[in-house]
Structure formats: C-alpha cells, structure tokens
Amino acid sequence: MTPARWAFMATLVLTLATLAFPLVLFGSPPDLGSAPMADGFKTPILALEFAENIDDIAFLRGEDAAELRAWLVEVQFLDWFFPLAYAGMAAVFFLGMALRGRFLALVGLGLALATIPADWQENDTINGILAEIENPVCGPDIEPPDGRDSVVLRDCLPSGYFDEASAEAELVSYAFDSFLPVRIEILRIDTWIKWGLIAAYAFWMAAMLWMDRRRILAIPAGLGGLAVLATWISGSNGHVAELMSILLIPMMLTFPAAAVMYLRDKPAKTGTPRGEETA
C-alpha cells in the first residue's frame, strides 16, 4: 500500500476518534447554577470559549455552579486529546493529497497542524479561568487597606509579587480584584486563533476539492468555514456560535468521505487533475 493510501486510511481511523470525543465531552452537562449563559448559548463550553467579558462567565461562578465547574474540568482534561483527533484527521488527509501530487495540500497540512497547539493554548487559558473561579485570588477575608471601600488585586497578592512586573500588570493590579478580566481577554485571542485556523483549513479543503472536481464535497467544507466567519462577524453571538457548531459536523465528515473517494481512485500522475486520471 502506498504512503498516500496509508494517510487516507489514517484519516478514517482518526475520524472515529473525532466522532467519539464530542459524545464524551458534551454529552450530559450538569444543570446550570442560578445565572444563565449569555443569550443564545446552550452549550457551556461554547459559552465559555466565546465569553466577551466577566459577565458572560457568571453562569460558572458561585457555589450552585460547583458541579458544572467540576464537569468542565473533566472536559478540559479530555480536550487535550481532542485536537490530536480532529486536527490530526485533517492533517493526514491533506498529507495524503500531497503524496498524490496535490502539493497545494501542504498549506492545509500546515494549517491543521497549527490548530493543535492553538487548541492547547486555549485549554490552558480556560483552565486558569476555572481554577481562579474555584480558588479566588481575593478571598472574603481580605479587607481593603488605607480606608478604601473596595479590595483590588494588589491587596490579595504576596509582598514582592510586582517587583519585576510590567507597567500593564501594575495597572491591572489596581483596576481589578482578580485576574479574570485579563484572562478573558486572553481567551478571546486564543479562541479566535484556534477557530481562525479551523476556518482557514476548512476553506482550503473546499478549494482543493473544488479544483479536484469534487464540488459537492466542497460545499460542506466551505459552509463550515463560512459559519466560523459568521460567528466572528456577529461578535460571538450565541445563536450563531451554536449554529456554527452544528455546521462543523458535516464539514468534519467531509474528510473521511473524501478519503474514501481517493482510496477508490487509482493514483494519478503528479500534477494530473482528477478529471484526467486514467479510469
């Protein structure tokens, strides 16, 4: 069996893992606490990923949301492996195309591989948010010094914490009573790097399939990329984000469907369009 065929077979194997993970990750979340998710969101992990400000994670705060936070910690542990499945599936598919002579597929391979560390970085930021909600930097026993009415972050950190801090960190220490607002801003960046890469390789997949005259298969891949773009344009609107998560399912299934078709094809000569392959 040729290396290209091995790559397409690996696509099918990783598809099974990709389909299994969502059942484990998002299957049965516990009930929400007293605060609702941001408007339009039905999936806790999406509501967290696309949080725009501190108010958008209110549903995770408080004692009545402890069970939900514990569930999300478990989800986050499993989510370290998920990008190896879904991005790995895309990567080996693009590798198979490249080994068949479609060298533009190397761009898709690079985008898919870049998604893995981007997803891990997003996970790390989310873990920091969950850890701080569970163990706030400023506890209820902290009193504001010098007659101030409220506690700031600086009051809660050990002596010498800011000895080598940047001016931005100094400003944050006076402006907030926790790291959460800053972590959420970082999460917005991490989230959109990850989703931007997913959209990019979805569009690239659609383009490659279109050029390879598999135009029906190009449609769900293109729609998946457009759904991510629409979510970004909407300002992370919950309704749009939830619709995006649904449209990504057929986009992901495009990879195994195309892999099966390429496995059934006879290998083409390097650079030969699909329509000119020998039967």
Side-chain angles (χ1 to χ4, degrees):
M1 193 156 59
T2 64
R5 292 180 68 83
W6 277 114
F8 292 134
M9 289 295 294
T11 302
L12 301 180
V13 173
L14 288 170
T15 296
L16 297 177
T18 301
L19 294 175
F21 267 105
L23 297 177
V24 177
L25 290 176
F26 312 123
S28 301
D31 293 335
L32 294 178
S34 57
M37 290 184 284
D39 183 47
F41 283 104
K42 297 179 180 179
T43 311
I45 191 63
L46 284 180
L48 176 53
E49 284 189 15
F50 291 105
E52 293 280 298
N53 52 57
I54 194 77
D55 293 334
D56 289 343
I57 62 167
F59 73 99
L60 292 173
R61 306 178 78 175
E63 287 300 320
D64 53 350
E67 188 179 355
L68 178 59
R69 290 196 300 273
W71 177 79
L72 282 171
V73 168
E74 295 178 3
V75 166
Q76 283 300 107
F77 172 75
L78 293 172
D79 198 29
W80 286 98
F81 303 98
F82 188 36
L84 294 174
Y86 77 81
M89 174 188 68
V92 293
F93 175 81
F94 284 121
L95 176 62
M97 290 189 77
L99 291 170
R100 282 281 181 93
R102 280 77 167 181
F103 296 115
L104 286 175
L106 291 174
V107 175
L109 172 61
L111 291 169
L113 290 176
T115 306
I116 297 174
D119 199 319
W120 286 342
Q121 175 58 44
E122 181 194 51
N123 287 340
D124 187 63
T125 303
I126 288 176
N127 288 339
I129 290 172
L130 294 172
E132 186 170 348
I133 292 174
E134 197 67 34
N135 299 288
V137 176
C138 285
D141 56 332
I142 301 295
E143 296 291 337
D146 304 325
R148 282 193 277 106
D149 294 331
S150 60
V151 172
V152 296
L153 186 57
R154 176 172 288 271
D155 301 330
C156 310
L157 296 171
S159 177
Y161 189 94
F162 289 99
D163 285 351
E164 298 181 2
S166 65
E168 292 81 4
E170 289 274 351
L171 179 61
V172 166
S173 73
Y174 285 108
F176 302 112
D177 64 356
S178 76
F179 288 115
L180 285 176
V182 179
R183 292 187 196 275
I184 290 172
E185 288 300 316
I186 295 172
L187 178 60
R188 289 177 62 191
I189 297 170
D190 293 342
T191 292
W192 281 113
I193 289 174
K194 181 195 80 172
W195 286 106
L197 287 167
I198 291 173
Y201 76 67
F203 282 131
W204 200 257
M205 172 71 161
M208 292 294 300
L209 291 173
W210 190 269
M211 289 186 292
D212 225 11
R213 300 184 186 181
R214 301 187 187 274
R215 292 170 182 171
I216 293 177
L217 275 180
I219 294 172
L223 286 177
L226 286 172
V228 177
L229 180 60
T231 304
W232 179 71
I233 292 172
S234 73
S236 301
N237 177 273
H239 298 285
V240 181
E242 292 287 348
L243 178 60
M244 175 202 73
S245 69
I246 295 172
L247 290 175
L248 285 180
I249 296 172
M251 184 275 282
M252 292 293 182
L253 292 176
T254 299
F255 289 97
V260 169
M261 289 188 175
Y262 283 113
L263 283 168
R264 294 175 62 186
D265 283 347
K266 292 182 178 180
K269 296 179 180 179
T270 300
T272 303
R274 176 178 172 266
E276 297 177 14
E277 295 173 10
T278 55

